[in-house]
Amino acid sequence: MVRLAKAGPDYGVGVYRDITEWADSSPGWMQTLGEIGTEGGILLFVALLLFQWWRSRGRDDRSMALALLAPVAVAAVYVLSEILKVWLHEERPCRDIPNVTTIAECPEPGDWSFPSNHSVIAAASAATLLITWRLIGLLALPVAALIALSRVYVGVHYLHDVAAGYLLGVLLAPLVVLALMVPGTWAVTRLRQQKGLALVLGASPQTTTPAPQYAPHSTYR
């Protein structure tokens, strides 16, 4: 097991203290917004992924495959982050650093700190949206960064926890989607032939062939 729990100033304790002290002195409305945003932001990404699936029901097979693969990629990177947490075993700063005041309640012992799962989920969701829904993805990436930083603001993570989680999500989730895109599209094409799955997968747009235009018959004599 790698032990990162006793992180010294070079590992971000000083930055953590600066941020939590600033957070403690910030206005009450800002603290409330930070608490709501740090959890509600994840729900926002869940809603976006669900809406993307719904809108893909009337699109081509590749679009539906990408919409289904996006949450799969997010889940895969999340599992990897959990494995890293158990392996690295970094203690939460709100438990490990004395004399700090945090906005959020410190998680229970055994809920490790590195990397930040919230940052992983937010960044992975934004990165997959960038592939599957470009405009929303461009807007989602900075939102994911704010969610990641909010975890330090409310006092439950070091800055390096959220930075690592963000990079993990942004870099790995798109790779999962792209790696599975071809077999995923093939599977959607086959499954859409099953009538029982029409509500879930929808149907590919039908390509309509224009009716042939006939020139008026000439009268021959």
Side-chain angles (χ1 to χ4, degrees), residues 46 79 95 120 124 170 191 199:
V46 170
V79 169
R95 283 197 300 271
V120 167
V170 164
L191 291 173
L199 180 62

Side-chain angles (χ1 to χ4, degrees), residues 84-167:
L84 287 173
K85 274 193 169 192
V86 174
W87 179 48
L88 296 175
H89 219 179
E90 181 188 75
E91 187 62 276
R92 293 275 181 171
C94 45
R95 283 197 300 271
D96 201 49
I97 302 175
N99 303 319
V100 294
T101 302
T102 63
I103 295 173
E105 183 178 351
C106 196
E108 294 293 326
D111 186 348
W112 307 111
S113 192
F114 183 91
S116 163
N117 282 341
H118 281 69
S119 303
V120 167
I121 294 171
S125 300
T128 57
L129 285 168
L130 189 62
I131 295 175
T132 58
W133 197 357
R134 186 64 54 84
L135 176 61
I136 297 299
L138 289 172
L139 297 174
L141 284 172
V143 173
L146 287 176
I147 293 172
L149 291 173
S150 74
R151 303 301 288 164
V152 187
Y153 176 78
V154 300
V156 296
H157 276 291
Y158 292 105
L159 184 61
H160 62 262
D161 296 339
V162 302
Y166 190 90
L167 289 174

